[in-house]
Amino acid sequence: MKRVGFIGWRGMVGSVLMERMMAENDFAHMESHFYSTSQAGGTAPKVTNGNPVVLNAMDPQELAKMDMLVSCQGGDYTKEIFPQLRKNGWKGLWIDAASALRMDNDSVIVLDPVNRANIQKALDSGVKNYIGGNCTVSLMLIALHGLFRENMIEWVSSMTYQAASGAGAKNMIELLDQMKTVGNSFAKHPAMGALELEKEMNTTLASSEFPKANFGHPLALNLLPWIDSELPSGQSKEEWKAQVEANKILGNTTPIPVDGTCVRVSALRCHSQGLTIKLKKSAHLSTVEEIIRSANDWVRLVPNDKATTLRDLTPAAVTGRLHVPIGRLRPMTLGDTYFNAFTVGDQLLWGAAEPLRCVLRQALQ
Ligand code: HSE
């Protein structure tokens, strides 16, 4: 039985990964060891074939005993530990949620429903590094898989509405704290009219007491049209990832342009995206619908009517679920090769944990 080490299993992505692995009985197929950067010697989660004692995640020799390591610990940990492991000659598989190694030539970005065959080729040919993709990229590719597979897309513009969870657990809690502060301020002025309340809320948001240590700005009653660092191109790093990662996952030698504005909104854990899809040739709506609908087990086509859209195509409807709905699909007035669409996906499932779980199972086969 292969020995698999888990690092960062207590964090948000790690916890979702653990939950999913338990639900799918994955631990029965491996010998599991749990590592911690701060709590070595503690009690590990009780799983089938699991080592009950937590090991030291900062000890490369302890880590090197594993056939595979799965890290949800974050990019700083990867940058510190991974090079030491390889330098010491460790030949195991490194499976990672962090972006640090994603664009390296010797790594594969994993997204089972879209590139399982390429992952298999890489496993067969001895590639050792398997990295989960950016959440918006992975969710968009699952939704548009059929159109990419049929080579119908000339370019895509994706305008994102990204949940607080993408920024981390502290940010999720900060958003709720911001909402509580807004709610408390509202409760103090029950008789005010809407315009007076709006002024009052803006004063609340601008106050030095308003909780914003993590976001740096109010997200409640607001949105933040910049995610991650600034690049010389004028894109945010999150926007830059869309094209480079999507094309790497798809294995394209000629890149398909993917670009847009990435925006943080006050959803908790589902990322949404408004898509403008430019097709290479005009196609009938029913053809586009069928190609999207039948592409993989996870995409769900939502009919373009108001009631179904508002019931099924929202962060509140999709949270905690593995399917990736896409709707609002219609030809645009821009021309007969342009389609509008909107998609929503759970940022912690197919956006983060699930691709890691799938590649681990695939590697164990
Ligand atoms: N970078 C993403 C975000 C999450 O900030 O929403 C991780 O893919």
Side-chain angles (χ1 to χ4, degrees):
M1 213 172 242
K2 296 279 187 209
R3 282 163 302 172
V4 181
F6 295 89
I7 310 124
W9 44 277
R10 260 189 274 253
M12 204 155 55
V13 174
S15 308
V16 172
L17 178 64
M18 292 296 113
E19 260 174 43
R20 285 287 303 134
M21 289 186 64
M22 284 184 202
E24 298 291 340
N25 197 28
D26 290 334
F27 289 107
H29 303 271
M30 65 195 88
E31 187 187 298
S32 301
H33 298 261
F34 295 90
Y35 288 78
S36 167
T37 54
S38 57
Q39 293 177 32
T43 309
K46 281 195 183 57
V47 300
T48 314
N49 309 322
N51 178 348
V53 181
V54 172
L55 305 171
N56 182 5
M58 301 312 292
D59 179 350
Q61 266 142 26
E62 194 67 67
L63 291 163
K65 293 176 186 162
M66 297 296 117
D67 299 299
M68 304 179 194
L69 287 166
V70 181
S71 175
C72 302
Q73 183 70 25
D76 291 341
Y77 176 80
T78 300
K79 284 181 201 151
E80 182 176 348
I81 293 294
F82 174 80
Q84 295 183 46
L85 279 167
R86 291 291 187 231
K87 198 166 141 247
N88 296 348
W90 181 66
K91 300 246 170 6
L93 295 194
W94 178 265
I95 297 173
D96 198 342
S99 64
L101 308 175
R102 257 182 222 154
M103 295 309 297
D104 290 4
N105 287 334
D106 59 356
S107 74
V108 173
I109 307 181
V110 292
L111 185 58
D112 183 275
V114 174
N115 71 346
R116 187 179 174 88
N118 288 349
I119 296 168
Q120 192 57 51
K121 267 191 215 143
L123 286 165
D124 295 342
S125 67
V127 174
K128 302 288 183 205
N129 305 330
Y130 295 86
I131 318 297
N134 172 270
C135 39
T136 47
V137 176
S138 298
L139 294 168
M140 181 200 54
L141 288 183
I142 291 177
L144 293 184
H145 181 193
L147 298 180
F148 279 114
R149 195 176 54 194
E150 297 303 316
N151 197 19
M152 289 169 76
I153 295 183
E154 187 174 323
W155 54 256
V156 187
S157 176
S158 159
M159 311 304 257
T160 74
Y161 306 77
Q162 294 182 225
S165 58
K170 283 186 190 151
N171 295 62
M172 281 176 91
I173 293 168
E174 185 170 273
L175 171 61
L176 293 171
D177 210 12
Q178 291 188 353
M179 289 175 165
K180 186 175 77 181
T181 309
V182 165
N184 290 344
S185 174
F186 178 37
K188 281 189 203 145
H189 307 284
M192 272 186 184
L195 288 177
E196 282 176 301
L197 275 171
E198 190 278 331
K199 275 204 190 89
E200 193 59 39
M201 293 309 136
N202 245 342
T203 308
T204 303
L205 261 53
S207 149
S208 58
E209 309 288 297
F210 195 73
K212 52 178 191 295
N214 295 289
F215 279 115
H217 302 272
L219 180 60
L221 303 186
N222 201 15
L223 56 79
L224 302 172
W226 200 289
I227 296 176
D228 211 333
S229 51
E230 295 177 63
L231 299 183
S233 61
Q235 292 169 301
S236 69
K237 193 164 180 200
E238 187 78 358
E239 289 153 9
W240 169 80
K241 286 175 181 176
Q243 179 167 323
V244 294
E245 289 193 19
N247 281 285
K248 181 164 176 173
I249 292 169
L250 293 167
N252 289 338
T253 39
T254 308
I256 296 172
V258 184
D259 201 0
T261 304
C262 290
V263 181
R264 186 77 65 202
V265 298
S266 62
L268 275 179
R269 64 175 271 188
C270 284
H271 285 357
S272 308
Q273 306 182 58
L275 305 170
T276 300
I277 306 157
K278 169 75 172 77
L279 296 181
K280 290 180 178 168
K281 287 191 212 149
S282 63
H284 197 271
L285 174 62
S286 59
T287 308
V288 173
E289 285 176 338
E290 189 46 36
I291 288 170
I292 288 179
R293 189 199 334 260
S294 58
N296 59 60
D297 290 342
W298 307 104
V299 63
R300 295 283 181 281
L301 187 67
V302 176
N304 186 28
D305 66 73
K306 183 174 175 179
T308 319
T309 298
L310 296 180
R311 188 189 66 201
D312 295 344
L313 194 60
T314 64
V318 176
T319 187
R321 303 182 67 185
L322 278 160
H323 73 292
V324 179
I326 175 168
R328 300 309 329 274
L329 188 67
R330 59 175 177 82
M332 298 179 90
T333 57
L334 303 175
D336 66 1
T337 50
Y338 293 82
F339 277 82
N340 181 74
F342 191 85
T343 181
V344 184
D346 187 299
Q347 184 267 327
L348 294 169
L349 287 167
W350 275 119
E354 201 63 11
L356 305 186
R357 194 186 78 70
C358 289
V359 71
L360 177 58
R361 283 301 295 268
Q362 194 176 350
L364 286 166
Q365 269 164 21

